[in-house]
Amino acid sequence: MEALKGITILDFTHVQSGPTCTQLLAWFGANVIKIERPGGGDITRSQLRDLDGVDSLYFTMLNHNKKSITLNVKDSSGKQVLEDLIKKSDVFVENFAPGTIERMGYGWEEIQKINPKIILASVKGFGPGPYEECKVYENIAQCAGGAASTTGFLDGPPLVTGAQIGDSGTGLHLALGIVTALFQREKSGRGQRVDVAMQDGVVNLCRVKLRDYQRLKSGPLREYSQYGKGIPFTDTTPRAGNDSGGGQPGWILKCKGWEDDPDAYVYFITQAPVWGKICNVIGKEEWLEDSGYSTPEARLDKLEFIFDTIEEWTKTKSKHEVISICDPLGIPCGPILSMKEIANDESLKATGTIVEVDHPIRGKYTTVGCPIKLSDSKADVKRSPLLGEHNDEILSDILNYDDEKINKIKQSEAMK
Ligand code: CAO
């Protein structure tokens, strides 16, 4: 049985942060009803389209396993349908701009009056404070959450990362908040608000960078390669290039073919317990006896030279050869994989992390399945809904409206 079977989620989310959250809940078996504006629906249906007139991959890849109902909630019949749905639901999720849900008439005070057991879950860009009224997209969250100032190379500008830590990261945080609130409701019998600000989500993911900011008070960060180069630290966490964020130094190293293949690289970690094996494998046995290299402490001011030397060895092997030599020796390293390699990775396909889905208009496409594996609740990925595909089903089966009422609503402005 699916873990969240029987839980109904009103999904009033759009773009990426909210939809990633509700998609996860749908994969775990919740009945997720996506409410979309009549006409175009979620704006991502038509953004970054690769095929004319077909729901974009942007939309399809974020809205699996959901049902879609079109509803103009500014129309009186639309409001009535929404309120009836609120009465039948466990969770109401939204990620509108600040103040929007209140202007619609469905802020926390109002929604509780309709259903005291409901959980209202919201994503906003910022929490209370000077920026609370701001609209926010992914990269703004990455910048305001501290990620961009600590990403990139020391001599370059701040950088955003391809991992959608602002949107999908916040969606993950929100999903955990919702499931926790559902769990607490079992005991309290009450709903509650779940708020996640995208800035907060990114700050949480940048925890180790705040750690480093505080460590600077005690002196330079000696595991940063900047230290070995003699470049002074300022009073805040610097951009660390490809330095590892932890206690075991690491860097990205070129492999055979790097001149033509932008992804012919490995991430290589000089983990202290396997230092001897690293020296042996790259043919630098003399480092084992050399007091300038034999301890992790002694190596800290030479990291750039050490990685340059290891790279002379990795450049003679393909990235997969490096892994197949280092992995049995317990040397932690991993390949830089392109999206093409990920899409075609047989092991990711075997675990359902990469799946192929069939869409009635688009045809077959590749997507990311559920990355969280529950042994008792298998997440089968089902295609995203067409706009308003479940209008009739939701009005009749969930709201138990009779045919006359359904026809009246469909003829009103509520669904047009
Ligand atoms: N029926 C009637 N009206 C609807 C509707 C429906 N079904 N769905 C949406 N609308 C209306 C809203 O009521 C709002 O109208 P008003 O401004 O008149 O109240 C309008 O559509 C626009 O909604 P919005 O303010 O959320 O959208 P936007 O394009 O102005 O902003 C975004 C988009 C993402 C910047 C903003 O929603 C936001 O900041 N959200 C919170 C943070 C977030 O989740 N960001 C991540 C997005 S993914 O990168």
Side-chain angles (χ1 to χ4, degrees):
M1 188 170 103
E2 294 158 310
L4 295 180
K5 195 173 167 59
I7 298 292
T8 300
I9 313 268
L10 273 191
D11 180 14
F12 216 170
T13 70
H14 62 159
V15 201
Q16 188 186 156
S17 64
T20 50
C21 163
T22 50
Q23 178 170 259
L24 275 170
L25 303 174
W27 278 332
F28 293 143
N31 185 21
V32 175
I33 301 170
K34 186 168 173 102
I35 302 167
E36 298 187 76
R37 211 196 313 223
D42 187 327
I43 193 168
T44 59
R45 282 190 187 264
S46 56
Q47 279 181 333
L48 310 179
R49 267 190 178 153
D50 54 330
L51 301 171
D52 279 348
V54 181
D55 285 340
S56 70
L57 287 166
Y58 196 2
F59 177 84
T60 54
M61 291 176 72
L62 287 163
N63 290 284
H64 292 107
N65 297 50
K66 303 181 185 177
K67 294 185 174 124
S68 165
I69 180 171
T70 48
L71 214 52
N72 175 1
V73 304
K74 288 179 179 159
D75 171 79
S76 59
S77 305
K79 277 191 183 306
Q80 192 53 58
V81 173
L82 180 64
E83 287 168 26
D84 288 346
L85 280 170
I86 291 171
K87 285 179 198 151
K88 300 255 178 183
S89 298
D90 299 282
V91 188
F92 184 106
V93 194
E94 63 91 19
N95 69 316
F96 288 115
T100 303
I101 200 76
E102 288 78 12
R103 277 198 301 281
M104 283 179 182
Y106 300 103
W108 177 231
E109 301 303 326
E110 291 79 18
I111 205 173
Q112 266 184 107
K113 284 183 200 142
I114 304 170
N115 177 355
K117 286 188 78 178
I118 200 139
I119 289 156
L120 172 62
S122 302
V123 170
K124 296 290 165 260
F126 293 93
Y131 306 120
E132 65 187 295
E133 299 301 329
C134 297
K135 288 183 181 176
V136 168
Y137 284 102
E138 171 68 45
N139 287 347
I140 297 176
Q142 289 197 22
C143 293
S149 73
T150 54
T151 304
F153 289 93
L154 203 55
D155 55 359
L159 268 191
V160 294
T161 163
Q164 304 287 283
I165 57 176
D167 277 332
S168 293
T170 306
L172 271 166
H173 282 92
L174 193 72
L176 177 61
I178 290 171
V179 174
T180 307
L182 282 168
F183 188 68
Q184 188 172 6
R185 195 181 71 171
E186 290 297 304
K187 288 169 266 174
S188 70
R190 287 196 313 275
Q192 62 182 303
R193 282 180 74 162
V194 179
D195 291 309
V196 183
M198 293 168 74
Q199 181 188 37
D200 298 12
V202 174
V203 168
N204 184 34
L205 298 175
C206 288
R207 183 173 291 264
V208 300
K209 298 296 176 179
L210 189 64
R211 172 202 69 192
D212 289 351
Y213 161 67
Q214 296 176 89
R215 290 172 59 227
L216 275 168
K217 292 191 185 100
S218 311
L221 306 172
R222 294 190 304 146
E223 78 284 8
Y224 279 57
S225 44
Q226 168 178 351
Y227 171 70
K229 291 180 195 161
I231 302 169
F233 285 79
T234 66
D235 61 355
T236 190
T237 312
R239 293 193 253 295
N242 288 318
D243 283 331
S244 109
Q248 306 287 350
W251 196 259
I252 289 185
L253 305 179
K254 291 170 181 156
C255 293
K256 197 154 120 187
W258 66 273
E259 298 92 336
D260 303 313
D261 176 357
D263 300 309
Y265 290 82
V266 284
Y267 197 91
F268 196 102
I269 296 182
T270 55
Q271 193 203 15
V274 289
W275 175 247
K277 289 180 177 165
I278 294 170
C279 295
N280 287 332
V281 89
I282 65 165
K284 291 293 283 183
E285 287 84 358
E286 64 268 31
W287 279 355
L288 286 168
E289 305 304 326
D290 185 335
S291 60
Y293 291 88
S294 55
T295 66
E297 276 296 298
R299 295 194 285 272
L300 285 176
D301 61 356
K302 306 176 194 70
L303 289 178
E304 191 180 19
F305 177 68
I306 289 170
F307 282 119
D308 283 350
T309 308
I310 300 172
E311 191 173 63
E312 287 310 309
W313 176 76
T314 57
K315 272 161 58 178
T316 67
K317 312 263 178 286
S318 75
K319 61 187 175 190
H320 297 296
E321 285 167 347
V322 171
I323 311 299
S324 60
I325 294 168
C326 291
D327 190 38
L329 298 173
I331 302 169
C333 51
I336 305 308
L337 294 181
S338 68
M339 275 301 138
K340 183 176 171 186
E341 289 169 302
I342 300 264
N344 294 296
D345 189 301
E346 290 307 325
S347 56
L348 291 176
K349 287 183 189 177
T351 59
T353 296
I354 294 292
V355 287
E356 194 177 65
V357 179
D358 206 358
H359 185 276
I361 302 178
R362 160 173 294 282
K364 288 191 166 57
Y365 65 97
T366 298
T367 191
V368 185
C370 185
I372 303 165
K373 319 292 184 194
L374 298 188
S375 63
D376 256 3
S377 180
K378 194 168 176 299
D380 283 327
V381 181
K382 300 189 190 104
R383 70 165 174 88
S384 59
L386 304 177
L387 181 61
E389 183 176 344
H390 303 95
N391 284 356
D392 284 329
E393 181 186 321
I394 290 164
L395 296 178
S396 63
D397 296 357
I398 296 187
L399 296 179
N400 302 318
Y401 289 176
D402 60 25
D403 288 349
E404 192 188 342
K405 194 164 178 183
I406 292 175
N407 284 334
K408 221 167 136 190
I409 286 165
K410 284 168 86 176
Q411 278 156 23
S412 74
E413 292 302 307
M415 286 189 159
K416 286 184 192 151

